[in-house]
């Protein structure tokens, strides 16, 4: 039987979505699908519609996101149909905003909210949520799947490092079985980023590369060193053309800032941890992350050069000790689908294609 890979976004439902994206980079879904295909699994990465016959699939990996968001509205109800039809399901929480996802699902259990949502339209008359105008759409089936997601009835797949307390994720999504995949080896490969570099001189400054304005978070942390921003147009920050440029820029700073996530300490995948570790710079995020890594929480702005080097080395060695290789990734994703799927077909390895390397992640 085949594997169905679907979800709520074009990147989850199309092999060619990266060609239309503003940020053209290899994405989580492509990494997973490529690994499975090169191991011989037959993976259909596609959208589904209410009424489709999905009996040929022994496993469905289904990406979910927040109700109410334009990013997910086109396919989220169709994704619920896939979950209802395939016996073996892995819910893929690609977006780190899992608290928002679950809160939105909980809200949709209210009949009045559901009614308002499925009747909501754009100015041109099209339904805001795709699939609800399908004659085969079943509101009660959709509501039951939503309830099951809220109750954590489905096994879950998340992008995360091996370090960290996954109970912090379980407290939010409730799934008993949570499987993590470390995307590092394929992200580095896509950008030709080395795992060892010649460490040069560093500035006693912070670097924060993001398309989002995180200056409020910076102010709350009352940092003393200057902060150099990259990427955020609202701050008129300099742009970095590619992930390679981001990686190389990280080597110029002692501190790489990584704004805190609500589930800090869980080890959720963030490539900045790896960039900082390879460059032997120090990543600053949440004390909960440092505690999860078994590292001392300290004020690096009070350190001299020797102390900075020592602390950076400790953090680097700890982070890189958990990093997966391509073989690790392939083996782990195989174990995950084999343990969750039913009678999955394995044939000849399939050729995969990676996106053009022209834009940065953040």
């Amino acid at each position: 039987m085949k594997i169905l890979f679907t979800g709520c976004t074009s990147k989850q439902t199309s092999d060619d979505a990266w060609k239309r994206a503003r940020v053209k980079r290899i994405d989580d879904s492509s990494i997973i699908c490529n690994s499975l295909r090169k191991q011989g699994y037959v993976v259909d990465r596609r959208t589904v519609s209410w009424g489709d016959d999905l009996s040929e699939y022994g496993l469905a990996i289904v990406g979910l996101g927040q109700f109410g968001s334009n990013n997910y509205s086109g396919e989220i109800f169709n994704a619920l149909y896939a979950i209802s039809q395939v016996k073996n399901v892995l819910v893929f929480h690609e977006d780190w905003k899992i608290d928002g996802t679950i809160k939105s699902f909980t809200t949709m259990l209210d009949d009045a909210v559901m009614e308002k949502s499925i009747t909501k339209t754009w100015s041109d008359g099209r339904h805001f949520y795709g699939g609800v105008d399908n004659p085969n759409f079943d509101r009660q089936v959709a509501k039951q799947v939503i309830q099951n997601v809220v109750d954590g009835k489905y096994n879950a797949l998340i992008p995360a490092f091996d370090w960290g307390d996954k109970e912090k994720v379980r407290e939010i999504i409730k799934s008993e079985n949570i499987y993590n995949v470390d995307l590092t080896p394929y992200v580095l490969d896509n950008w030709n980023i080395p795992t060892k570099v010649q460490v040069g001189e560093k500035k006693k400054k912070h670097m924060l590369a993001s398309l989002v304005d995180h200056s409020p978070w910076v102010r709350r942390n009352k940092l003393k060193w200057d902060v150099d921003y990259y990427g955020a147009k609202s701050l008129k920050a300099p742009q970095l053309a590619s992930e390679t440029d981001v990686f190389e820029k990280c080597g110029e700073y002692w501190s790489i800032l990584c704004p805190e996530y609500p589930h800090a300490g869980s080890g959720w995948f963030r490539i900045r941890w790896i960039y900082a570790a390879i460059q032997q710079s120090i990543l600053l995020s949440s004390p909960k992350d440092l505690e999860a890594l078994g590292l001392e929480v300290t004020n690096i702005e009070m350190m001299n050069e020797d102390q900075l080097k020592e602390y950076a080395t400790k953090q680097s060695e700890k982070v890189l000790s958990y990093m997966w290789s391509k073989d690790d990734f392939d083996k782990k994703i195989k174990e995950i689908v084999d343990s969750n799927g039913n009678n999955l077909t394995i044939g000849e390895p399939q050729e995969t294609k990676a996106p053009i390397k022209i834009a940065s992640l953040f």
Side-chain angles (χ1 to χ4, degrees), residues 11 16 34 76 109 117-118 132 142 150 154 190 193 216 233 263 268 277 283 292-293 320 350 353-354:
K11 287 185 178 179
D16 296 326
N34 287 350
I76 192 166
L109 292 172
S117 298
I118 64 177
V132 298
V150 171
Y154 306 109
N190 188 67
I193 291 175
K233 291 184 178 179
H263 39 70
W268 198 274
L283 189 134
L293 283 163
L320 295 180
Q350 302 167 55
K353 296 180 180 179

Side-chain angles (χ1 to χ4, degrees), residues 47-62:
T47 58
V48 300
S49 298
W50 287 79
D52 285 354
D53 179 2
L54 304 180
S55 60
E56 63 182 324
Y57 298 107
L59 174 67
I61 302 175
V62 185

Side-chain angles (χ1 to χ4, degrees), residues 16-64:
D16 296 326
W18 62 271
K19 296 177 182 178
R20 304 185 295 273
R22 180 170 63 90
V23 178
K24 293 178 174 61
R25 64 173 178 85
I26 193 164
D27 53 87
D28 303 11
S29 299
S30 291
I31 290 173
I32 295 169
C33 290
N34 287 350
S35 175
L36 290 171
R37 286 168 176 162
K38 80 173 186 179
Q39 296 183 77
Y41 292 94
V42 181
V43 182
D44 284 351
R45 187 177 177 187
R46 49 166 286 204
T47 58
V48 300
S49 298
W50 287 79
D52 285 354
D53 179 2
L54 304 180
S55 60
E56 63 182 324
Y57 298 107
L59 174 67
I61 302 175
V62 185
L64 294 181

